[in-house]
Amino acid sequence: MPTTAGTKKRTIWIFFALTYLLTWIFWIPLALSGQDVMAGPLMIALLLGGFGPSIAGIIMTYRTQDREGRRDFWRRSINFRQIGAGWYAVILLIFPLVYGLAILLDMLLGGSLPGADAITQIAAQPASLIGMLLMDLIIGPLAEEFGWRGFALDPLQARWSALISALVIGVFWWAWHFPLFFMNGMLQNEWGVETVAFWAYAVTVFSLSVLFTWVFNNTRRSILAAILLHFMYNSTLNVLSPLPDRVSIFATGLLVLAAIVVVIFWGSKTLSRD
């Protein structure tokens, strides 16, 4: 692929278009079918569509990078030493702390402790924990992060500030999920569109995009850090599921607050002190 300035600017939009194509070619027919997508072979199509961002990111990396650029891409995907101890602490603790505080606020107002269903299942079948963690790693982290952060974030930050780049990814990341709201069997379908849960989900995705960019930039563009952070978000939600509505609202507010604190203290230009 030519490396003219115009081509470099177009690659990010080609990535987004390819991501949507690779995902929605599976998801839109599932949404139109009206069948339960969590049953039988339909779930396979659902999972295949979920890999659109990572497949698009890998394809675009190989189309736009030389041999060293490709090696760097994979190094940043597997190098645990690239992430400092302090950032491992951030990755492991930020979401348990956010949702733990949201639960505490809810309990102070008379709410109950969520997560009993998942804990009961794990206690009855300890091996189910391995399966749950494996799915939490595959669905989202491995299926998406080679694209959103692995490929898309760098060309966006070459043009705009880290904050604007994070919000741009947030727009595409949120809209990418849209067919799920019309699929029978999906949690998003239960929420519906133009509901409080629908808009809270959008706000959550934008806040997460800022936090993911913050961690990515402060771990020397570590794709592995983004994968682990996404994994911790998935795992936290699954262990605590189903979350009461009030906990979800509190957690959304706390994620927004965390994103604002990051922008204030690390600066919108790079979200990093380096």
Side-chain angles (χ1 to χ4, degrees):
M1 178 177 287
T3 56
T4 64
T7 299
K8 289 180 178 180
K9 291 180 180 179
R10 287 195 299 269
T11 56
I12 184 59
W13 310 118
I14 295 173
F15 161 77
F16 286 131
L18 183 59
T19 293
Y20 276 59
L21 174 64
L22 292 173
T23 295
W24 286 12
I25 198 172
F26 292 100
W27 284 6
I28 289 179
L30 290 178
L32 293 175
S33 74
Q35 300 182 52
D36 185 352
V37 299
M38 300 303 290
L42 295 184
M43 188 174 181
I44 297 175
L46 177 68
L47 294 174
L48 288 174
F51 276 85
S54 281
I55 293 174
I58 293 169
I59 290 173
M60 293 304 297
T61 296
Y62 274 75
R63 288 283 292 164
T64 61
Q65 298 294 320
D66 58 16
R67 180 177 295 181
E68 181 54 36
R70 296 167 188 172
R71 288 177 177 173
D72 177 66
F73 177 87
W74 293 115
R75 277 196 297 265
R76 291 186 291 119
S77 302
I78 62 174
N79 187 358
F80 284 88
R81 295 181 180 180
Q82 191 168 330
I83 307 169
W87 289 103
Y88 272 118
V90 170
I91 291 167
L92 293 174
L93 296 178
I94 185 169
F95 296 125
L97 287 175
V98 164
Y99 282 89
L101 181 55
I103 290 169
L104 178 60
L105 292 173
D106 181 60
M107 292 179 68
L108 291 175
L109 295 175
S112 58
L113 184 66
D117 293 345
I119 293 173
T120 300
Q121 179 183 350
I122 292 170
Q125 298 178 317
S128 66
L129 177 62
I130 298 175
M132 184 187 77
L133 294 177
L134 183 61
M135 292 304 291
D136 287 342
L137 178 63
I138 294 173
I139 301 174
L142 295 179
E144 300 178 33
E145 290 306 329
F146 292 110
W148 301 131
R149 260 56 65 169
F151 177 79
L153 196 49
D154 281 342
L156 285 173
Q157 290 191 106
R159 298 182 62 186
W160 295 310
S161 70
L163 177 60
I164 296 299
S165 300
L167 295 177
V168 169
I169 288 182
V171 170
F172 285 94
W173 194 14
W174 171 63
W176 175 78
H177 290 89
F178 199 65
L180 300 179
F181 288 88
F182 300 92
M183 289 187 198
N184 184 22
M186 297 301 298
L187 177 61
Q188 289 89 342
N189 183 249
E190 296 178 15
W191 295 341
V193 296
E194 298 184 2
T195 62
V196 172
F198 176 81
W199 294 112
Y201 184 71
V203 173
T204 296
V205 170
F206 284 112
S207 301
L208 289 176
S209 191
V210 172
L211 295 175
F212 275 53
T213 301
W214 171 57
V215 171
F216 178 85
N217 284 357
N218 283 278
T219 54
R220 293 178 290 167
R221 300 164 49 246
S222 172
I223 300 170
L224 177 61
I227 290 171
L228 294 176
L229 189 62
H230 203 149
F231 169 74
M232 283 304 303
Y233 178 74
N234 285 2
S235 299
T236 301
L237 289 186
N238 277 341
V239 168
L240 298 175
S241 182
L243 284 174
D245 291 342
R246 193 162 56 190
V247 172
S248 296
I249 293 172
F250 285 150
T252 298
L254 289 170
L255 287 171
V256 171
L257 180 60
I260 291 172
V261 169
V262 163
V263 173
I264 291 174
F265 285 94
W266 275 265
S268 62
K269 185 174 182 180
T270 64
L271 297 179
S272 170
R273 290 175 178 168
D274 295 334

Short mmCIF file of all heavy atoms in Angstrom, two decimals, residues 17 33-34 52-53 57 62 65 80 84 87 89 110-111 121 128 132-133 164 168 171 209-210 215 217 233 267 269:
data_model
loop_
_atom_site.label_atom_id
_atom_site.label_comp_id
_atom_site.label_asym_id
_atom_site.label_seq_id
_atom_site.Cartn_x
_atom_site.Cartn_y
_atom_site.Cartn_z
N ALA A 17 -14.55 0.90 8.41
CA ALA A 17 -15.46 0.31 7.43
C ALA A 17 -15.30 -1.21 7.39
O ALA A 17 -16.29 -1.96 7.35
CB ALA A 17 -15.20 0.92 6.05
N SER A 33 -33.36 -12.20 11.86
CA SER A 33 -33.94 -13.53 11.97
C SER A 33 -34.99 -13.63 13.07
O SER A 33 -35.93 -14.43 12.97
CB SER A 33 -32.84 -14.57 12.22
OG SER A 33 -32.36 -14.49 13.56
N GLY A 34 -34.82 -12.84 14.14
CA GLY A 34 -35.75 -12.89 15.25
C GLY A 34 -35.58 -14.10 16.14
O GLY A 34 -36.33 -14.29 17.10
N GLY A 52 -14.69 -9.03 14.44
CA GLY A 52 -14.47 -8.05 13.38
C GLY A 52 -13.39 -7.03 13.66
O GLY A 52 -12.50 -6.80 12.82
N PRO A 53 -13.40 -6.37 14.84
CA PRO A 53 -12.38 -5.35 15.11
C PRO A 53 -10.95 -5.89 15.09
O PRO A 53 -10.05 -5.26 14.51
CB PRO A 53 -12.75 -4.83 16.51
CG PRO A 53 -14.21 -5.11 16.64
CD PRO A 53 -14.43 -6.40 15.91
N GLY A 57 -8.10 -5.03 12.44
CA GLY A 57 -6.86 -4.42 12.93
C GLY A 57 -5.62 -5.15 12.46
O GLY A 57 -4.62 -4.53 12.07
N TYR A 62 -0.96 -5.35 8.73
CA TYR A 62 -0.14 -6.02 7.71
C TYR A 62 -0.17 -5.28 6.38
O TYR A 62 0.78 -5.39 5.58
CB TYR A 62 -0.59 -7.47 7.55
CG TYR A 62 0.08 -8.39 8.54
CD1 TYR A 62 -0.31 -8.39 9.87
CD2 TYR A 62 1.14 -9.21 8.17
CE1 TYR A 62 0.31 -9.21 10.80
CE2 TYR A 62 1.77 -10.03 9.08
CZ TYR A 62 1.36 -10.03 10.40
OH TYR A 62 1.99 -10.82 11.32
N GLN A 65 2.05 -1.62 7.58
CA GLN A 65 3.31 -1.63 8.31
C GLN A 65 4.34 -2.50 7.60
O GLN A 65 4.00 -3.49 6.94
CB GLN A 65 3.10 -2.16 9.74
CG GLN A 65 2.16 -1.32 10.58
CD GLN A 65 2.72 0.05 10.88
OE1 GLN A 65 3.91 0.20 11.15
NE2 GLN A 65 1.86 1.06 10.86
N PHE A 80 4.67 -8.77 28.67
CA PHE A 80 4.18 -8.45 30.01
C PHE A 80 5.10 -7.43 30.71
O PHE A 80 4.66 -6.69 31.58
CB PHE A 80 4.09 -9.72 30.85
CG PHE A 80 2.90 -10.58 30.52
CD1 PHE A 80 2.98 -11.54 29.51
CD2 PHE A 80 1.71 -10.43 31.20
CE1 PHE A 80 1.89 -12.34 29.20
CE2 PHE A 80 0.61 -11.22 30.90
CZ PHE A 80 0.70 -12.17 29.90
N GLY A 84 4.23 -1.60 33.72
CA GLY A 84 4.81 -1.42 35.04
C GLY A 84 3.90 -1.95 36.14
O GLY A 84 2.70 -2.13 35.95
N TRP A 87 0.82 0.06 36.91
CA TRP A 87 -0.25 -0.03 35.91
C TRP A 87 -0.93 -1.39 35.94
O TRP A 87 -2.13 -1.50 35.61
CB TRP A 87 0.30 0.30 34.52
CG TRP A 87 0.58 1.77 34.44
CD1 TRP A 87 1.80 2.38 34.52
CD2 TRP A 87 -0.39 2.81 34.36
NE1 TRP A 87 1.64 3.74 34.48
CE2 TRP A 87 0.31 4.03 34.37
CE3 TRP A 87 -1.77 2.84 34.26
CZ2 TRP A 87 -0.34 5.27 34.30
CZ3 TRP A 87 -2.43 4.07 34.19
CH2 TRP A 87 -1.71 5.26 34.21
N ALA A 89 -1.57 -2.74 38.76
CA ALA A 89 -2.51 -2.48 39.85
C ALA A 89 -3.75 -1.74 39.34
O ALA A 89 -4.88 -2.06 39.72
CB ALA A 89 -1.82 -1.67 40.95
N GLY A 110 -30.32 0.83 50.91
CA GLY A 110 -31.24 -0.29 51.12
C GLY A 110 -31.11 -1.42 50.12
O GLY A 110 -31.90 -2.38 50.17
N GLY A 111 -30.17 -1.36 49.22
CA GLY A 111 -30.00 -2.40 48.22
C GLY A 111 -29.35 -3.64 48.80
O GLY A 111 -28.84 -3.64 49.93
N GLN A 121 -23.09 -20.57 41.47
CA GLN A 121 -22.73 -21.45 40.36
C GLN A 121 -21.27 -21.89 40.45
O GLN A 121 -20.94 -23.05 40.24
CB GLN A 121 -22.99 -20.77 39.02
CG GLN A 121 -22.61 -21.63 37.81
CD GLN A 121 -22.81 -20.90 36.50
OE1 GLN A 121 -23.39 -19.82 36.45
NE2 GLN A 121 -22.31 -21.48 35.42
N SER A 128 -16.50 -24.28 36.32
CA SER A 128 -17.20 -23.28 35.50
C SER A 128 -16.48 -21.94 35.54
O SER A 128 -16.63 -21.13 34.61
CB SER A 128 -18.64 -23.11 36.00
OG SER A 128 -18.68 -22.54 37.30
N MET A 132 -15.76 -19.51 32.40
CA MET A 132 -16.22 -18.12 32.42
C MET A 132 -15.07 -17.16 32.14
O MET A 132 -15.21 -16.24 31.32
CB MET A 132 -16.84 -17.79 33.78
CG MET A 132 -17.43 -16.38 33.86
SD MET A 132 -17.97 -15.93 35.53
CE MET A 132 -16.40 -15.57 36.31
N LEU A 133 -13.92 -17.39 32.77
CA LEU A 133 -12.77 -16.52 32.57
C LEU A 133 -12.25 -16.61 31.14
O LEU A 133 -11.82 -15.61 30.55
CB LEU A 133 -11.67 -16.86 33.56
CG LEU A 133 -11.99 -16.58 35.04
CD1 LEU A 133 -10.83 -17.03 35.92
CD2 LEU A 133 -12.29 -15.11 35.27
N ILE A 164 -9.67 13.40 22.12
CA ILE A 164 -10.51 13.37 20.92
C ILE A 164 -10.43 12.00 20.27
O ILE A 164 -11.45 11.44 19.83
CB ILE A 164 -10.08 14.46 19.93
CG1 ILE A 164 -10.32 15.85 20.53
CG2 ILE A 164 -10.84 14.32 18.62
CD1 ILE A 164 -11.76 16.15 20.86
N VAL A 168 -13.51 9.51 19.51
CA VAL A 168 -13.81 9.02 18.16
C VAL A 168 -13.97 7.50 18.19
O VAL A 168 -14.93 6.95 17.64
CB VAL A 168 -12.71 9.43 17.17
CG1 VAL A 168 -12.89 8.70 15.83
CG2 VAL A 168 -12.74 10.94 16.94
N VAL A 171 -17.26 6.53 19.73
CA VAL A 171 -18.42 6.61 18.83
C VAL A 171 -18.54 5.33 18.01
O VAL A 171 -19.61 4.71 17.94
CB VAL A 171 -18.29 7.83 17.89
CG1 VAL A 171 -19.36 7.78 16.80
CG2 VAL A 171 -18.42 9.13 18.68
N SER A 209 -13.60 4.16 26.85
CA SER A 209 -12.66 4.48 25.78
C SER A 209 -11.58 5.44 26.27
O SER A 209 -10.40 5.30 25.92
CB SER A 209 -13.39 5.07 24.58
OG SER A 209 -12.55 5.16 23.47
N VAL A 210 -11.95 6.40 27.11
CA VAL A 210 -10.97 7.32 27.68
C VAL A 210 -10.03 6.57 28.62
O VAL A 210 -8.80 6.75 28.56
CB VAL A 210 -11.68 8.46 28.44
CG1 VAL A 210 -10.66 9.32 29.20
CG2 VAL A 210 -12.47 9.33 27.47
N VAL A 215 -4.64 4.07 29.85
CA VAL A 215 -3.78 2.94 30.19
C VAL A 215 -2.85 2.60 29.03
O VAL A 215 -1.65 2.36 29.22
CB VAL A 215 -4.63 1.72 30.60
CG1 VAL A 215 -3.75 0.47 30.73
CG2 VAL A 215 -5.36 1.99 31.91
N ASN A 217 -1.66 4.54 26.64
CA ASN A 217 -0.60 5.54 26.46
C ASN A 217 0.43 5.51 27.58
O ASN A 217 1.58 5.89 27.36
CB ASN A 217 -1.22 6.94 26.36
CG ASN A 217 -1.87 7.19 25.01
OD1 ASN A 217 -1.81 6.35 24.12
ND2 ASN A 217 -2.48 8.35 24.86
N TYR A 233 -12.76 -5.79 33.00
CA TYR A 233 -14.10 -5.21 32.93
C TYR A 233 -15.14 -6.31 32.73
O TYR A 233 -16.15 -6.37 33.45
CB TYR A 233 -14.17 -4.20 31.77
CG TYR A 233 -15.55 -3.60 31.60
CD1 TYR A 233 -16.02 -2.65 32.50
CD2 TYR A 233 -16.37 -3.99 30.54
CE1 TYR A 233 -17.28 -2.10 32.35
CE2 TYR A 233 -17.63 -3.44 30.38
CZ TYR A 233 -18.08 -2.50 31.29
OH TYR A 233 -19.34 -1.96 31.14
N GLY A 267 -4.03 15.29 31.50
CA GLY A 267 -4.07 16.19 30.34
C GLY A 267 -4.72 15.57 29.14
O GLY A 267 -4.49 14.41 28.82
N LYS A 269 -4.28 16.22 26.00
CA LYS A 269 -3.44 16.07 24.80
C LYS A 269 -2.91 14.66 24.64
O LYS A 269 -2.97 14.07 23.55
CB LYS A 269 -2.29 17.06 24.83
CG LYS A 269 -1.46 17.03 23.54
CD LYS A 269 -0.41 18.13 23.54
CE LYS A 269 0.38 18.11 22.23
NZ LYS A 269 1.43 19.17 22.21
#
